[in-house]
Amino acid sequence: MKTPRTHRWRLITAGLTAVLMLGGCAGAGALGAGGGISLTVAIVANPQMKDAIQLSSQFTRDHPEIHLRFVTLPENEARAKITASVATQGGEYDITMISNFEAPQWAQNGWLTNLTPYMSAGYDANDFVPSIRESVSYHGGMYAAPFYGESSFLAYRKDLLAKAGLTMPARPTWPQVAAMAAKLNNPKGGVAGICLRGLPGWGEVLAPLDTVINTFGGRWFDEKWNAQLTSPEVRKAVQFYVDTVQKYGEPGAAISGFSECVTQFSQGQVAMWYDATSMVSTIEDPANSKVAGKIGYAPAPVVATPASGWLYTWALGIPSTSQHKQAAWDFIQWMTNKKYMTTVGSQLGWARVPPGSRLSTYQIPRYAAIAKPYAEATLSAMRTADQAHPTAKPVPYQGIQFVRIPEFQDLGTRVSQQIAAAIAGNITVDQALQQSQQYAETVGETYRQ
């Protein structure tokens, strides 16, 4: 008999509760020092989220009774702390930044508040990109409000390709990309051929690598939950990824995640970069990027599937334990409504507008003018991402750059550590996959019972 989903989450997070010690902080829903409501917001420390914190004084100006306390965390740490808090009903947070990996599962467990009843007609939930809206919904209700949405694509320096006499295909394959990376790689000139994540974490190196595995014909499990991480298809995909980043990738690839790659690409140290479409908020911002306006975009490279881009959103949810759900919603709707997009654009720069969440964002004239080089590429990638059919062969799970089961947070992290070790040259790909197969078999056995 399968372990109930809620119990699975509690078992998985039992060892994580120690990380929740936030000495001296007010708990969720506490009264502020001035007698108002104090909301604790757990948020990922990515650039767009830092912009929201910077602008949040405009919210508190209009809601003087609400005091905001932000707990900003790197992605890996945020996932662990937020999961441990919500799964154990710890009540530390009133608002949590989560993704489409957690939202449907946590909604099924009763850990999140259904936000649909709070949404007014003016909020216009139907304006969210359909695939993103559906990814955070459960039984017709939205359990998280998308802040930004993304798929994945290949960014490349048009000037460097032209100088090397290269032309990016309209729909590149991974072998073509690797061949171009070899020609563009110029370590002596301070330019790597390509940037690919290598940092351990199920949301770090495994995000791009899983799409490579998918399009090479690989999968994590077959229809009967037998682990497939030592299959020829997976081995070929992982060996390709490791070889490519070792030969033509960024320095320190084994410790490079999204943040490191966005910095290196925007500073002109990388010729190509395969990653999240949300990168455009930084690399096309003249204030933060030396290569803004010099970038071209191509679909996620493929091999055996017609498309391979992932689907992801950072979104805001309200744990069911929050004692001030209306106040929490007031902040969420401020941070995710249409007006917020124009606020960011007019005050911080149009390139910094959170992309990929609302369709209307791409109709704002000033944003549309700036976003023209990548708008269609972004929306096309999100339209073609298929969480229900991510692989060439049938699978019993959903998810493109993740496997949507509770155990994947731990399983993915363990496997990612093996992959990072292979990228660093500490172990071979075969050794990494043999150990990963054992981890995956343990998980698969619980689903075969």
Side-chain angles (χ1 to χ4, degrees), residues 375-389:
E376 181 53 37
T378 297
L379 294 175
S380 176
M382 296 176 73
R383 283 194 297 266
T384 57
D386 188 353
Q387 292 192 110
H389 305 92

Side-chain angles (χ1 to χ4, degrees), residues 128-129 132 146-150 277 312-313 353-359 361-362 367 378-379 382:
F128 288 112
V129 174
I132 291 294
F147 176 61
Y148 71 67
E150 64 184 34
T277 57
Y312 197 76
T313 178
V353 171
S357 60
R358 286 186 171 274
L359 294 169
T361 299
Y362 296 89
Y367 181 74
T378 297
L379 294 175
M382 296 176 73

Side-chain angles (χ1 to χ4, degrees), residues 21 124 128 141 144 231 269 314 322 329 336 345 350 374 415 434:
M21 302 304 293
D124 193 5
F128 288 112
S231 68
Q269 299 168 3
W314 278 119
S322 174
W329 167 250
T336 60
W350 290 99
Y374 52 83
V415 171
Q434 286 290 346

Side-chain angles (χ1 to χ4, degrees), residues 106-344:
W106 292 6
Q108 183 177 349
N109 292 342
W111 298 343
L112 293 175
T113 302
N114 184 358
L115 301 183
T116 299
Y118 293 89
M119 297 177 179
S120 65
Y123 182 69
D124 193 5
N126 289 328
D127 181 51
F128 288 112
V129 174
S131 59
I132 291 294
R133 183 180 65 245
E134 293 163 8
S135 75
V136 293
S137 296
Y138 176 71
H139 284 185
M142 285 181 64
Y143 284 80
F147 176 61
Y148 71 67
E150 64 184 34
S151 183
S152 55
F153 56 25
L154 181 70
Y156 60 93
R157 289 276 302 279
K158 293 186 292 185
D159 55 332
L160 294 183
L161 264 70
K163 184 178 179 180
L166 299 173
T167 300
M168 180 63 68
R171 300 193 64 80
T173 66
W174 272 114
Q176 289 173 328
V177 170
M180 286 189 288
K183 293 182 179 180
L184 294 166
N185 194 43
N186 183 14
K188 292 183 179 179
V191 178
I194 192 168
C195 203
L196 294 171
R197 299 190 202 184
L199 183 69
W202 69 267
E204 284 287 0
V205 64
L206 284 194
L209 178 57
D210 277 344
T211 69
V212 176
I213 290 172
N214 292 344
T215 197
F216 267 74
R219 50 187 175 172
W220 279 73
F221 299 95
D222 67 14
E223 302 101 310
K224 296 182 179 180
W225 288 100
N226 295 303
Q228 299 292 298
L229 296 185
T230 52
S231 68
E233 296 88 349
V234 172
R235 187 194 178 284
K236 185 177 181 181
V238 177
Q239 190 69 62
F240 170 86
Y241 189 97
V242 171
D243 286 346
T244 301
V245 75
Q246 284 182 339
K247 294 177 181 178
Y248 320 121
E250 73 279 11
I255 55 173
S256 294
F258 178 86
S259 297
E260 290 74 21
C261 283
V262 76
T263 297
Q264 293 189 51
F265 189 88
S266 63
Q267 295 306 304
Q269 299 168 3
V270 178
M272 297 186 293
W273 178 26
Y274 171 63
D275 215 301
T277 57
S278 59
M279 67 171 73
V280 297
S281 294
T282 300
I283 65 176
E284 291 286 3
D285 180 8
N288 294 297
S289 175
K290 295 180 180 179
V291 298
K294 301 178 181 179
I295 308 165
Y297 301 92
V302 296
V303 174
T305 57
S308 68
W310 71 59
L311 185 68
Y312 197 76
T313 178
W314 278 119
L316 296 171
I318 302 176
S320 57
T321 52
S322 174
Q323 298 300 305
H324 294 284
K325 294 182 175 63
Q326 182 60 57
W329 167 250
D330 289 342
F331 177 72
I332 288 176
Q333 72 85 26
W334 171 82
M335 190 170 156
T336 60
N337 66 19
K338 296 178 183 178
K339 184 179 178 181
Y340 179 82
M341 306 302 174
T342 58
T343 298
V344 173

